[in-house]
Amino acid sequence: MQHHELQSEDKILFFKKEYISEFVYGGIDGSITTFAVVAGAEGASLGISVVIILGLANLIADGFSMSVGNFISTKASRDNFDRHKAREYWEVDNLGATEKEEIRVIYEAKGFKGELLNQVVEVITSDKDVWVDTMMKEELEMTKDDKTPVKTASVTFFSFVLVGSIPLLAYIFAGLDSGIAGAELFLYSSILTGIALTIVGALKSLVTERNMLVGIAETLLLGGLAASLAYFVGDVLEQVFM
């Protein structure tokens, strides 16, 4: 029972909490980007098949690009941490006296004095791993992110494609002869996108620890601005080139 509770506390909607940020920002980017494509195509009065093709192509290409960027960024951060940690180990092994004095200075600045300060320094420097970890946190202000590059990239891509496909659903169903009128497609797409952004905006508030209504409003506003701009550009281009 206790194990199950611990698992549920570490997860939100089947995702570990530490990966929620990737899911949120992948979902926001995916839905806004795809809806902007839909709005631009609607502004240019393109056909249903063109909207679907452009939307899906954009969905896969942009989702892959975003996940690759996430992978590279996360890996670079972890590599940088490991490089600095290796250097700290070398300094502890070869410049022990200097590193020990740095520990003393750090904890003296925190208010430790006299015998208590000596005890703290001795305890920390008696264990090389604790010593290095302390230097990483206190001197370099660096902590290692437990999230792996592969998992962050995978969650980002999954979220981008999953949430980003929502604006296309009305057009896909219309393409399957569902009987939805052409004039209604953009309205349905807008409603579906609004629902998706509302859910993702609520999740974003959990990540940023901000007011949920503010998070939802910001997300909807960004989506609306991107769609309006895309629709305007599509409309202008249609008048100029078509």
Side-chain angles (χ1 to χ4, degrees):
M1 179 69 177
Q2 185 177 3
H3 178 66
H4 178 270
E5 288 177 353
L6 287 174
Q7 279 189 326
S8 63
E9 288 177 358
D10 291 337
K11 293 184 179 181
I12 300 177
L13 295 181
F14 308 106
F15 281 95
K16 290 185 177 180
K17 284 184 178 180
E18 60 263 34
Y19 291 100
I20 287 294
S21 59
E22 278 75 25
F23 182 86
V24 166
Y25 295 115
I28 290 175
D29 200 7
S31 57
I32 290 179
T33 302
T34 306
F35 187 56
V37 171
V38 171
E42 185 68 23
S45 301
L46 301 179
I48 294 176
S49 60
V50 176
V51 174
I52 295 174
I53 292 171
L54 289 177
L56 290 177
N58 170 81
L59 195 63
I60 301 301
D62 279 5
F64 181 75
S65 175
M66 186 177 183
S67 64
V68 168
N70 194 301
F71 176 89
I72 293 173
S73 175
T74 303
K75 188 175 186 303
S77 177
R78 289 169 67 92
D79 289 346
N80 183 52
F81 179 90
D82 291 339
R83 185 169 59 253
H84 280 84
K85 190 170 185 176
R87 188 178 67 185
E88 286 297 327
Y89 270 110
W90 183 90
E91 290 179 351
V92 166
D93 288 333
N94 296 276
L95 304 170
T98 301
E99 293 296 293
K100 190 171 185 178
E101 183 60 27
E102 288 182 0
I103 290 289
R104 178 177 297 277
V105 171
I106 288 171
Y107 280 88
E108 190 173 28
K110 292 178 180 290
F112 290 85
K113 297 178 181 179
E115 185 58 29
L116 178 59
L117 175 61
N118 292 334
Q119 291 177 2
V120 169
V121 172
E122 288 303 318
V123 169
I124 291 175
T125 58
S126 65
D127 187 315
K128 186 185 295 185
D129 293 332
V130 173
W131 190 350
V132 170
D133 286 341
T134 302
M135 295 300 290
M136 292 295 293
K137 294 176 184 177
E138 301 294 344
E139 182 188 32
L140 301 180
E141 298 182 348
M142 295 179 69
T143 56
K144 189 169 185 177
D145 194 341
D146 292 332
K147 295 184 289 188
T148 66
V150 172
K151 288 184 178 180
T152 56
S154 298
V155 171
T156 299
F157 182 76
F158 173 77
S159 174
F160 192 101
V161 173
L162 176 67
V163 183
S165 64
I166 292 176
L168 292 173
L169 291 180
Y171 291 87
I172 292 174
F173 286 136
L176 297 175
D177 297 325
S178 65
I180 302 177
E184 299 176 331
L185 292 179
F186 187 63
L187 174 61
Y188 287 137
S189 180
S190 300
I191 294 173
L192 289 171
T193 304
I195 294 173
L197 288 175
T198 297
I199 294 173
V200 176
L203 285 175
K204 185 180 75 170
S205 68
L206 296 177
V207 175
T208 59
E209 297 183 351
R210 298 183 62 190
N211 182 279
M212 186 169 292
L213 292 179
V214 173
I216 293 172
E218 287 180 349
T219 307
L220 288 173
L221 179 61
L222 286 173
L225 289 174
S228 299
L229 180 61
Y231 186 93
F232 174 75
V233 171
D235 184 50
V236 171
L237 292 177
E238 180 198 20
Q239 296 179 24
V240 173
F241 297 105
M242 301 180 72

